[in-house]
Every structure is written in C-alpha cells, then in structure tokens.
Amino acid sequence: MKRTENEELYSQTRNQNGQEFRKATPDEIHVGLCVWINAYDPNVGRSWLEGPYFVMETVHANRMSEHFVVFSTHMNYSTKAKHGSIWLPIIDTIKPPRGHNV
C-alpha cells in the first residue's frame, strides 16, 4: 500500500536534547494541548524546537488560513503557529507494575 503525502509529512520525527518529537496532525491540535514549535533565527541559520507552548486559540478554523495562538508560560510570551510548525513529544508509556504491592 502506497503512503500518501500527508502520511509521510506527519510521520516525520525529530530528536532534540534526547527527546523525540513528531509532527502533529491537524485534527490532533486543540486548545489546551502542550506543543513545541519550530523556531528559526536567520542570524544563526538553523531551526530548532522551542517549547513548551500551550494552544490558547484556533484562528480561522477549518480554512486555509487556519493557525493557532500559542503561549509559553516560561517566557510569558504569545505567538502564532501554523500546522507545519507544531510538534508533539513522543512519550514512552511504562506498563504499570504487577505484584503484591499493586
């Protein structure tokens, strides 16, 4: 079965400081979600992931101009983010312990 362009786009992963991230699909992004966004500095000439940010608002929902207002509690700063610049952390789940203490 051939993968579509969207499946390939949203299956991208990125590693930063030992933490893995994956691109968020448009239907995963909602108000209250904790995300990381692409940051780019033309003086440095490279991009990196910056976060955590919290999605505060969806602007122009279900339109080509849809974007999100995200807020960083660490920097007390709000900015805009489009679908392509939003990343979610890949968090491994740990099976609950089994035994007499459970």
Side-chain angles (χ1 to χ4, degrees):
M1 182 177 208
K2 185 178 177 184
R3 292 174 67 152
T4 64
E5 277 185 38
N6 283 345
E7 286 176 338
E8 289 181 20
L9 175 68
Y10 296 118
S11 67
Q12 291 179 10
T13 59
R14 183 172 181 171
N15 193 325
Q16 182 167 311
N17 299 332
Q19 173 67 50
E20 280 193 307
F21 294 87
R22 66 177 175 82
K23 281 213 177 206
T25 60
D27 55 333
E28 284 181 303
I29 304 168
H30 55 82
V31 172
L33 185 65
C34 182
V35 300
W36 274 250
I37 61 171
N38 276 340
Y40 179 78
D41 185 351
N43 297 322
V44 176
R46 67 179 185 88
S47 67
W48 63 91
L49 293 179
E50 191 173 82
Y53 284 89
F54 294 92
V55 178
M56 301 298 291
E57 180 182 0
T58 303
V59 181
H60 302 297
N62 301 319
R63 295 160 98 183
M64 289 294 290
S65 60
E66 180 178 34
H67 63 276
F68 305 93
V69 176
V70 293
F71 179 76
S72 171
T73 56
H74 294 287
M75 297 184 287
N76 199 19
Y77 173 74
S78 177
T79 189
K80 296 178 191 176
K82 292 204 174 247
H83 292 289
S85 65
I86 295 180
W87 295 75
L88 298 175
I90 299 172
I91 300 172
D92 293 332
T93 57
I94 300 170
K95 292 183 180 177
R98 297 181 61 174
H100 68 283
N101 291 333
V102 177

